[in-house]
Each structure stands twice: as C-alpha cells, then as structure tokens.
Amino acid sequence: MPYKEKFDAAIQFTRSLGFEVAELPNQSGELVSAEAGARVMRVLTGAGIRDIGASAQQCLKWTHALQPFVEQGLGCPVMLTIGTISIDDRPIFDPIHADFARWATEGISAKDFATRSGFNFHAWYTLPTMEVLDFTLWSTLAVAWKKPEMRANVVGGWPDRIAPSPTMTPIVVGAEYAERVHAISEVPLLSRDTSFEALSELPLLLMKL
C-alpha cells in the first residue's frame, strides 16, 4: 500500500479514537533537500539543539518538541506521525492498532516494557508533499545495534522510495494523541522544556531497564 494511503488510514483511525486531526495541505514538489536540511539544522542549532544523536530511544519526545522548529526551517506545517518501522522486512517497532487504542485510554505503563527495553513504536514527521523526515531512528538503532557510525543520521525523502530501509507505516497522527497518552502514562513521554538538557534526559523507568 502506498504511503499516502497508509497516512490517510492513520488519520481516520486517530479520529475514530476521539482525537481531532487537521489534515495537512496538499503540496506538490519536493521539500526534503540538502538546502532545506541545512535551514532546519540552523534553526535547531539556534534553539540550542547541538546534537540530534542524543535523541536515541526518545523518538516521541524529540519529535513532538522539535516540531515548531522543523516547521520554521521548512516553512510549512508537518504532521507528527507514530507507527511501525521495519528494515528489510525485519520488524523493529511493531505495535498494532489495538496497542494505540489501549494507550489512548490507559496510557503506557511498566507492563509495556515486560518484553523489551524501550517503547514499541516510532515517531517521525510527515510533510505536506507526503515525504517523511525522521531525526531519531538511526540514533536509536546506533545504540541498539552498537553501530556508532549510524548516530545522528537522518531519514528524509519519499517513503515509498526509501523502503525497505526503513519501511514506515503510520498508525496514529497528530500531537493531540501524543499529549493525551503522555498525560495518563506512568512514564513521561514528552517534555514541555525544549532545552537540549531536558530533551536528552532519559525517563527514570528507561534508565532502570
């Protein structure tokens, strides 16, 4: 299924859970480029974000917090997108729709870490062109796979062309969902403090795992 169809299905599923989702404007052309990437990085650096590699294991917190800066750098709105990731058909983050429905009412608790040492979902941005931008995936995998050379690399471009390394499947979209789950979870998912120090701090529960 093309990414656009998966994204539209994620909008409808998120709305079915009771969340409002404002659709992205349709935009043709290409937003992900070396020039655009340089603009975004200048904005992030100006905001004190000096090392995106520090985002490892904290995709949702960083993606939620940095959204205004990314939008400023790109000059357009973007959509916080949460879903699954596989690489060469190997599941990396593989939540199902029922997980997202449960988290929307119960939040995330210690039992969600019974069989893994981190969150079983991934977050990135979807752009109005249906390109994607992801600052955190390779930094997380650099830690998990002990491959420091992957740290701070960025995923960006047309997801159907990037696949299968990685394949990105949206399930829920929008900040409202993330903020609701954060409010009712045992483990903090987000940070209202967008300082580099606050974003880099791992939740205590994850530090104990």
Side-chain angles (χ1 to χ4, degrees):
M1 181 186 297
Y3 184 86
K4 176 65 164 64
E5 293 182 21
K6 292 188 261 186
F7 184 75
D8 289 343
I11 291 176
Q12 295 308 314
F13 177 65
T14 308
R15 287 173 175 166
S16 78
L17 297 178
F19 298 94
E20 294 186 8
V21 180
E23 295 189 31
L24 285 171
N26 291 322
Q27 185 169 334
S28 60
E30 189 174 56
L31 287 168
V32 176
S33 65
E35 181 183 349
R39 288 198 309 268
V40 171
M41 293 310 299
R42 283 196 297 270
V43 173
L44 293 179
T45 301
I49 307 302
R50 56 184 180 271
D51 177 17
I52 61 172
S55 65
Q57 300 176 281
Q58 301 191 83
C59 64
L60 184 57
K61 181 166 76 168
W62 278 66
T63 305
H64 177 269
L66 299 186
Q67 183 169 340
F69 305 118
V70 173
E71 291 178 333
Q72 179 183 343
L74 291 176
C76 67
V78 301
M79 183 74 79
L80 175 65
T81 307
I82 312 171
T84 74
I85 295 286
S86 63
I87 295 179
D88 298 326
D89 297 321
R90 171 188 175 185
I92 304 298
F93 301 100
D94 58 353
I96 60 176
H97 286 74
D99 291 322
F100 286 96
R102 174 172 56 84
W103 293 332
T105 58
E106 301 178 8
I108 293 177
S109 65
K111 67 182 180 183
D112 289 294
F113 304 98
T115 60
R116 61 187 301 135
S117 59
F119 298 113
N120 187 28
F121 59 77
H122 189 64
W124 63 92
Y125 304 114
T126 301
L127 312 187
T129 53
M130 289 297 109
E131 294 168 280
V132 295
L133 190 59
D134 183 340
F135 290 101
T136 69
L137 177 63
W138 293 122
S139 293
T140 293
L141 296 181
V143 173
W145 294 351
K146 297 180 172 56
K147 292 186 175 182
E149 66 276 12
M150 298 166 60
R151 188 180 187 276
N153 287 343
V154 175
V155 177
W158 305 104
D160 296 330
R161 298 179 187 175
I162 294 170
S165 297
T167 298
M168 312 171 86
T169 300
I171 297 183
V172 295
V173 296
E176 185 180 346
Y177 177 89
E179 290 164 4
R180 168 61 179 165
V181 176
H182 166 75
I184 60 176
S185 292
E186 290 182 5
V187 55
L189 306 177
L190 307 178
S191 174
R192 294 298 181 186
D193 184 347
T194 60
S195 70
F196 178 75
E197 290 73 22
L199 292 177
S200 301
E201 184 177 354
L202 280 171
L204 184 59
L205 177 60
L206 290 185
M207 293 173 67
K208 292 180 177 178
L209 295 174

PDB file of all heavy atoms in Angstrom, residues 180-208:
ATOM      1  N   ARG A 180      -2.262  13.355  25.001  1.00  0.00           N
ATOM      2  CA  ARG A 180      -3.218  12.633  25.838  1.00  0.00           C
ATOM      3  C   ARG A 180      -2.554  11.415  26.475  1.00  0.00           C
ATOM      4  O   ARG A 180      -2.684  11.177  27.680  1.00  0.00           O
ATOM      5  CB  ARG A 180      -4.421  12.207  24.996  1.00  0.00           C
ATOM      6  CG  ARG A 180      -5.358  11.208  25.682  1.00  0.00           C
ATOM      7  CD  ARG A 180      -5.971  11.753  26.959  1.00  0.00           C
ATOM      8  NE  ARG A 180      -6.871  10.773  27.569  1.00  0.00           N
ATOM      9  CZ  ARG A 180      -7.312  10.845  28.812  1.00  0.00           C
ATOM     10  NH1 ARG A 180      -6.957  11.864  29.589  1.00  0.00           N
ATOM     11  NH2 ARG A 180      -8.119   9.922  29.293  1.00  0.00           N
ATOM     12  N   VAL A 181      -1.844  10.633  25.682  1.00  0.00           N
ATOM     13  CA  VAL A 181      -1.194   9.436  26.221  1.00  0.00           C
ATOM     14  C   VAL A 181      -0.141   9.826  27.253  1.00  0.00           C
ATOM     15  O   VAL A 181      -0.018   9.188  28.307  1.00  0.00           O
ATOM     16  CB  VAL A 181      -0.593   8.590  25.084  1.00  0.00           C
ATOM     17  CG1 VAL A 181       0.175   7.393  25.652  1.00  0.00           C
ATOM     18  CG2 VAL A 181      -1.701   8.106  24.147  1.00  0.00           C
ATOM     19  N   HIS A 182       0.609  10.870  26.986  1.00  0.00           N
ATOM     20  CA  HIS A 182       1.594  11.365  27.953  1.00  0.00           C
ATOM     21  C   HIS A 182       0.930  11.703  29.285  1.00  0.00           C
ATOM     22  O   HIS A 182       1.449  11.358  30.363  1.00  0.00           O
ATOM     23  CB  HIS A 182       2.287  12.597  27.387  1.00  0.00           C
ATOM     24  CG  HIS A 182       3.073  13.385  28.384  1.00  0.00           C
ATOM     25  ND1 HIS A 182       4.294  12.978  28.887  1.00  0.00           N
ATOM     26  CD2 HIS A 182       2.797  14.579  28.994  1.00  0.00           C
ATOM     27  CE1 HIS A 182       4.739  13.874  29.752  1.00  0.00           C
ATOM     28  NE2 HIS A 182       3.853  14.852  29.838  1.00  0.00           N
ATOM     29  N   ALA A 183      -0.232  12.341  29.242  1.00  0.00           N
ATOM     30  CA  ALA A 183      -0.898  12.811  30.455  1.00  0.00           C
ATOM     31  C   ALA A 183      -1.355  11.667  31.355  1.00  0.00           C
ATOM     32  O   ALA A 183      -1.475  11.852  32.570  1.00  0.00           O
ATOM     33  CB  ALA A 183      -2.092  13.687  30.085  1.00  0.00           C
ATOM     34  N   ILE A 184      -1.592  10.479  30.792  1.00  0.00           N
ATOM     35  CA  ILE A 184      -2.131   9.372  31.591  1.00  0.00           C
ATOM     36  C   ILE A 184      -1.148   8.211  31.739  1.00  0.00           C
ATOM     37  O   ILE A 184      -1.511   7.157  32.250  1.00  0.00           O
ATOM     38  CB  ILE A 184      -3.457   8.864  30.995  1.00  0.00           C
ATOM     39  CG1 ILE A 184      -3.261   8.358  29.570  1.00  0.00           C
ATOM     40  CG2 ILE A 184      -4.524   9.961  31.039  1.00  0.00           C
ATOM     41  CD1 ILE A 184      -4.525   7.744  28.951  1.00  0.00           C
ATOM     42  N   SER A 185       0.112   8.411  31.336  1.00  0.00           N
ATOM     43  CA  SER A 185       1.095   7.327  31.374  1.00  0.00           C
ATOM     44  C   SER A 185       1.920   7.348  32.649  1.00  0.00           C
ATOM     45  O   SER A 185       2.138   8.401  33.259  1.00  0.00           O
ATOM     46  CB  SER A 185       2.030   7.419  30.163  1.00  0.00           C
ATOM     47  OG  SER A 185       1.351   7.139  28.965  1.00  0.00           O
ATOM     48  N   GLU A 186       2.413   6.167  33.036  1.00  0.00           N
ATOM     49  CA  GLU A 186       3.309   6.050  34.183  1.00  0.00           C
ATOM     50  C   GLU A 186       4.688   6.607  33.872  1.00  0.00           C
ATOM     51  O   GLU A 186       5.394   7.072  34.769  1.00  0.00           O
ATOM     52  CB  GLU A 186       3.452   4.578  34.595  1.00  0.00           C
ATOM     53  CG  GLU A 186       2.211   3.959  35.209  1.00  0.00           C
ATOM     54  CD  GLU A 186       2.436   2.516  35.625  1.00  0.00           C
ATOM     55  OE1 GLU A 186       3.586   2.033  35.522  1.00  0.00           O
ATOM     56  OE2 GLU A 186       1.467   1.875  36.051  1.00  0.00           O
ATOM     57  N   VAL A 187       5.073   6.532  32.635  1.00  0.00           N
ATOM     58  CA  VAL A 187       6.393   7.003  32.217  1.00  0.00           C
ATOM     59  C   VAL A 187       6.209   8.251  31.364  1.00  0.00           C
ATOM     60  O   VAL A 187       5.343   8.278  30.487  1.00  0.00           O
ATOM     61  CB  VAL A 187       7.145   5.907  31.432  1.00  0.00           C
ATOM     62  CG1 VAL A 187       6.330   5.415  30.266  1.00  0.00           C
ATOM     63  CG2 VAL A 187       8.508   6.387  30.965  1.00  0.00           C
ATOM     64  N   PRO A 188       6.959   9.312  31.622  1.00  0.00           N
ATOM     65  CA  PRO A 188       6.797  10.530  30.807  1.00  0.00           C
ATOM     66  C   PRO A 188       7.229  10.299  29.366  1.00  0.00           C
ATOM     67  O   PRO A 188       8.280   9.716  29.107  1.00  0.00           O
ATOM     68  CB  PRO A 188       7.696  11.546  31.516  1.00  0.00           C
ATOM     69  CG  PRO A 188       8.681  10.735  32.285  1.00  0.00           C
ATOM     70  CD  PRO A 188       7.969   9.484  32.677  1.00  0.00           C
ATOM     71  N   LEU A 189       6.415  10.778  28.455  1.00  0.00           N
ATOM     72  CA  LEU A 189       6.693  10.605  27.038  1.00  0.00           C
ATOM     73  C   LEU A 189       7.184  11.879  26.369  1.00  0.00           C
ATOM     74  O   LEU A 189       7.884  11.824  25.362  1.00  0.00           O
ATOM     75  CB  LEU A 189       5.424  10.141  26.309  1.00  0.00           C
ATOM     76  CG  LEU A 189       4.727   8.892  26.839  1.00  0.00           C
ATOM     77  CD1 LEU A 189       3.468   8.632  26.033  1.00  0.00           C
ATOM     78  CD2 LEU A 189       5.657   7.700  26.798  1.00  0.00           C
ATOM     79  N   LEU A 190       6.794  13.035  26.911  1.00  0.00           N
ATOM     80  CA  LEU A 190       7.054  14.318  26.281  1.00  0.00           C
ATOM     81  C   LEU A 190       7.786  15.245  27.230  1.00  0.00           C
ATOM     82  O   LEU A 190       7.945  14.940  28.414  1.00  0.00           O
ATOM     83  CB  LEU A 190       5.734  14.976  25.845  1.00  0.00           C
ATOM     84  CG  LEU A 190       4.795  14.137  24.982  1.00  0.00           C
ATOM     85  CD1 LEU A 190       3.522  14.909  24.688  1.00  0.00           C
ATOM     86  CD2 LEU A 190       5.471  13.690  23.691  1.00  0.00           C
ATOM     87  N   SER A 191       8.209  16.393  26.712  1.00  0.00           N
ATOM     88  CA  SER A 191       8.846  17.419  27.527  1.00  0.00           C
ATOM     89  C   SER A 191       8.381  18.783  27.046  1.00  0.00           C
ATOM     90  O   SER A 191       8.509  19.097  25.861  1.00  0.00           O
ATOM     91  CB  SER A 191      10.373  17.331  27.431  1.00  0.00           C
ATOM     92  OG  SER A 191      10.985  18.407  28.119  1.00  0.00           O
ATOM     93  N   ARG A 192       7.834  19.564  27.961  1.00  0.00           N
ATOM     94  CA  ARG A 192       7.476  20.942  27.613  1.00  0.00           C
ATOM     95  C   ARG A 192       8.707  21.830  27.560  1.00  0.00           C
ATOM     96  O   ARG A 192       8.706  22.892  26.954  1.00  0.00           O
ATOM     97  CB  ARG A 192       6.476  21.493  28.646  1.00  0.00           C
ATOM     98  CG  ARG A 192       5.133  20.799  28.618  1.00  0.00           C
ATOM     99  CD  ARG A 192       4.439  20.974  27.286  1.00  0.00           C
ATOM    100  NE  ARG A 192       3.139  20.326  27.241  1.00  0.00           N
ATOM    101  CZ  ARG A 192       2.394  20.236  26.156  1.00  0.00           C
ATOM    102  NH1 ARG A 192       2.828  20.742  25.015  1.00  0.00           N
ATOM    103  NH2 ARG A 192       1.226  19.622  26.195  1.00  0.00           N
ATOM    104  N   ASP A 193       9.776  21.389  28.204  1.00  0.00           N
ATOM    105  CA  ASP A 193      11.062  22.085  28.175  1.00  0.00           C
ATOM    106  C   ASP A 193      11.814  21.617  26.941  1.00  0.00           C
ATOM    107  O   ASP A 193      12.151  20.439  26.819  1.00  0.00           O
ATOM    108  CB  ASP A 193      11.839  21.761  29.459  1.00  0.00           C
ATOM    109  CG  ASP A 193      13.157  22.508  29.564  1.00  0.00           C
ATOM    110  OD1 ASP A 193      13.607  23.080  28.554  1.00  0.00           O
ATOM    111  OD2 ASP A 193      13.749  22.493  30.664  1.00  0.00           O
ATOM    112  N   THR A 194      12.055  22.515  26.009  1.00  0.00           N
ATOM    113  CA  THR A 194      12.724  22.126  24.770  1.00  0.00           C
ATOM    114  C   THR A 194      14.227  22.382  24.804  1.00  0.00           C
ATOM    115  O   THR A 194      14.881  22.375  23.763  1.00  0.00           O
ATOM    116  CB  THR A 194      12.109  22.866  23.561  1.00  0.00           C
ATOM    117  OG1 THR A 194      12.245  24.276  23.750  1.00  0.00           O
ATOM    118  CG2 THR A 194      10.641  22.506  23.401  1.00  0.00           C
ATOM    119  N   SER A 195      14.771  22.576  25.997  1.00  0.00           N
ATOM    120  CA  SER A 195      16.223  22.727  26.093  1.00  0.00           C
ATOM    121  C   SER A 195      16.897  21.406  25.760  1.00  0.00           C
ATOM    122  O   SER A 195      16.327  20.324  25.946  1.00  0.00           O
ATOM    123  CB  SER A 195      16.622  23.179  27.497  1.00  0.00           C
ATOM    124  OG  SER A 195      16.405  22.136  28.442  1.00  0.00           O
ATOM    125  N   PHE A 196      18.109  21.477  25.274  1.00  0.00           N
ATOM    126  CA  PHE A 196      18.848  20.273  24.924  1.00  0.00           C
ATOM    127  C   PHE A 196      19.003  19.359  26.134  1.00  0.00           C
ATOM    128  O   PHE A 196      18.871  18.135  26.023  1.00  0.00           O
ATOM    129  CB  PHE A 196      20.220  20.648  24.364  1.00  0.00           C
ATOM    130  CG  PHE A 196      21.084  19.461  24.026  1.00  0.00           C
ATOM    131  CD1 PHE A 196      20.827  18.713  22.889  1.00  0.00           C
ATOM    132  CD2 PHE A 196      22.133  19.091  24.850  1.00  0.00           C
ATOM    133  CE1 PHE A 196      21.608  17.610  22.574  1.00  0.00           C
ATOM    134  CE2 PHE A 196      22.924  17.993  24.539  1.00  0.00           C
ATOM    135  CZ  PHE A 196      22.662  17.256  23.399  1.00  0.00           C
ATOM    136  N   GLU A 197      19.240  19.945  27.286  1.00  0.00           N
ATOM    137  CA  GLU A 197      19.446  19.150  28.501  1.00  0.00           C
ATOM    138  C   GLU A 197      18.193  18.370  28.864  1.00  0.00           C
ATOM    139  O   GLU A 197      18.247  17.191  29.213  1.00  0.00           O
ATOM    140  CB  GLU A 197      19.871  20.056  29.657  1.00  0.00           C
ATOM    141  CG  GLU A 197      21.274  20.644  29.525  1.00  0.00           C
ATOM    142  CD  GLU A 197      21.374  21.731  28.464  1.00  0.00           C
ATOM    143  OE1 GLU A 197      20.325  22.329  28.108  1.00  0.00           O
ATOM    144  OE2 GLU A 197      22.509  21.996  27.989  1.00  0.00           O
ATOM    145  N   ALA A 198      17.028  19.028  28.784  1.00  0.00           N
ATOM    146  CA  ALA A 198      15.773  18.361  29.134  1.00  0.00           C
ATOM    147  C   ALA A 198      15.432  17.264  28.129  1.00  0.00           C
ATOM    148  O   ALA A 198      14.991  16.176  28.509  1.00  0.00           O
ATOM    149  CB  ALA A 198      14.641  19.376  29.209  1.00  0.00           C
ATOM    150  N   LEU A 199      15.653  17.529  26.860  1.00  0.00           N
ATOM    151  CA  LEU A 199      15.329  16.531  25.850  1.00  0.00           C
ATOM    152  C   LEU A 199      16.254  15.321  25.929  1.00  0.00           C
ATOM    153  O   LEU A 199      15.850  14.203  25.624  1.00  0.00           O
ATOM    154  CB  LEU A 199      15.415  17.159  24.455  1.00  0.00           C
ATOM    155  CG  LEU A 199      14.362  18.217  24.129  1.00  0.00           C
ATOM    156  CD1 LEU A 199      14.614  18.788  22.744  1.00  0.00           C
ATOM    157  CD2 LEU A 199      12.961  17.653  24.227  1.00  0.00           C
ATOM    158  N   SER A 200      17.480  15.537  26.356  1.00  0.00           N
ATOM    159  CA  SER A 200      18.466  14.456  26.392  1.00  0.00           C
ATOM    160  C   SER A 200      18.299  13.540  27.597  1.00  0.00           C
ATOM    161  O   SER A 200      18.845  12.422  27.618  1.00  0.00           O
ATOM    162  CB  SER A 200      19.882  15.039  26.410  1.00  0.00           C
ATOM    163  OG  SER A 200      20.103  15.844  25.273  1.00  0.00           O
ATOM    164  N   GLU A 201      17.541  13.965  28.586  1.00  0.00           N
ATOM    165  CA  GLU A 201      17.405  13.183  29.818  1.00  0.00           C
ATOM    166  C   GLU A 201      16.441  12.023  29.620  1.00  0.00           C
ATOM    167  O   GLU A 201      15.279  12.209  29.277  1.00  0.00           O
ATOM    168  CB  GLU A 201      16.900  14.076  30.947  1.00  0.00           C
ATOM    169  CG  GLU A 201      16.817  13.374  32.286  1.00  0.00           C
ATOM    170  CD  GLU A 201      16.381  14.308  33.401  1.00  0.00           C
ATOM    171  OE1 GLU A 201      16.264  15.515  33.134  1.00  0.00           O
ATOM    172  OE2 GLU A 201      16.152  13.834  34.523  1.00  0.00           O
ATOM    173  N   LEU A 202      16.927  10.801  29.836  1.00  0.00           N
ATOM    174  CA  LEU A 202      16.080   9.621  29.712  1.00  0.00           C
ATOM    175  C   LEU A 202      15.118   9.528  30.889  1.00  0.00           C
ATOM    176  O   LEU A 202      15.485   9.837  32.016  1.00  0.00           O
ATOM    177  CB  LEU A 202      16.929   8.348  29.671  1.00  0.00           C
ATOM    178  CG  LEU A 202      17.595   7.969  28.352  1.00  0.00           C
ATOM    179  CD1 LEU A 202      18.559   6.816  28.577  1.00  0.00           C
ATOM    180  CD2 LEU A 202      16.564   7.590  27.303  1.00  0.00           C
ATOM    181  N   PRO A 203      13.874   9.077  30.649  1.00  0.00           N
ATOM    182  CA  PRO A 203      12.969   8.826  31.770  1.00  0.00           C
ATOM    183  C   PRO A 203      13.567   7.813  32.728  1.00  0.00           C
ATOM    184  O   PRO A 203      14.276   6.888  32.319  1.00  0.00           O
ATOM    185  CB  PRO A 203      11.714   8.263  31.086  1.00  0.00           C
ATOM    186  CG  PRO A 203      11.781   8.754  29.688  1.00  0.00           C
ATOM    187  CD  PRO A 203      13.251   8.821  29.351  1.00  0.00           C
ATOM    188  N   LEU A 204      13.286   7.971  34.017  1.00  0.00           N
ATOM    189  CA  LEU A 204      13.873   7.104  35.041  1.00  0.00           C
ATOM    190  C   LEU A 204      13.557   5.644  34.783  1.00  0.00           C
ATOM    191  O   LEU A 204      14.416   4.780  34.961  1.00  0.00           O
ATOM    192  CB  LEU A 204      13.351   7.517  36.419  1.00  0.00           C
ATOM    193  CG  LEU A 204      13.941   6.769  37.629  1.00  0.00           C
ATOM    194  CD1 LEU A 204      15.453   6.955  37.682  1.00  0.00           C
ATOM    195  CD2 LEU A 204      13.298   7.249  38.915  1.00  0.00           C
ATOM    196  N   LEU A 205      12.345   5.342  34.328  1.00  0.00           N
ATOM    197  CA  LEU A 205      11.968   3.953  34.084  1.00  0.00           C
ATOM    198  C   LEU A 205      12.867   3.329  33.037  1.00  0.00           C
ATOM    199  O   LEU A 205      13.341   2.202  33.184  1.00  0.00           O
ATOM    200  CB  LEU A 205      10.511   3.870  33.640  1.00  0.00           C
ATOM    201  CG  LEU A 205       9.986   2.470  33.283  1.00  0.00           C
ATOM    202  CD1 LEU A 205      10.099   1.528  34.478  1.00  0.00           C
ATOM    203  CD2 LEU A 205       8.551   2.530  32.794  1.00  0.00           C
ATOM    204  N   LEU A 206      13.152   4.073  31.951  1.00  0.00           N
ATOM    205  CA  LEU A 206      14.016   3.523  30.922  1.00  0.00           C
ATOM    206  C   LEU A 206      15.444   3.350  31.424  1.00  0.00           C
ATOM    207  O   LEU A 206      16.137   2.418  31.019  1.00  0.00           O
ATOM    208  CB  LEU A 206      13.994   4.431  29.688  1.00  0.00           C
ATOM    209  CG  LEU A 206      12.707   4.462  28.877  1.00  0.00           C
ATOM    210  CD1 LEU A 206      12.901   5.316  27.637  1.00  0.00           C
ATOM    211  CD2 LEU A 206      12.261   3.077  28.502  1.00  0.00           C
ATOM    212  N   MET A 207      15.882   4.226  32.306  1.00  0.00           N
ATOM    213  CA  MET A 207      17.240   4.101  32.839  1.00  0.00           C
ATOM    214  C   MET A 207      17.391   2.836  33.677  1.00  0.00           C
ATOM    215  O   MET A 207      18.478   2.280  33.800  1.00  0.00           O
ATOM    216  CB  MET A 207      17.565   5.335  33.686  1.00  0.00           C
ATOM    217  CG  MET A 207      17.669   6.627  32.880  1.00  0.00           C
ATOM    218  SD  MET A 207      17.842   8.089  33.910  1.00  0.00           S
ATOM    219  CE  MET A 207      19.471   7.806  34.618  1.00  0.00           C
ATOM    220  N   LYS A 208      16.294   2.332  34.251  1.00  0.00           N
ATOM    221  CA  LYS A 208      16.340   1.144  35.096  1.00  0.00           C
ATOM    222  C   LYS A 208      16.223  -0.149  34.304  1.00  0.00           C
ATOM    223  O   LYS A 208      16.499  -1.215  34.813  1.00  0.00           O
ATOM    224  CB  LYS A 208      15.192   1.199  36.119  1.00  0.00           C
ATOM    225  CG  LYS A 208      15.364   2.299  37.170  1.00  0.00           C
ATOM    226  CD  LYS A 208      14.200   2.287  38.145  1.00  0.00           C
ATOM    227  CE  LYS A 208      14.396   3.323  39.243  1.00  0.00           C
ATOM    228  NZ  LYS A 208      13.245   3.350  40.189  1.00  0.00           N
TER     229      LYS A 208
END
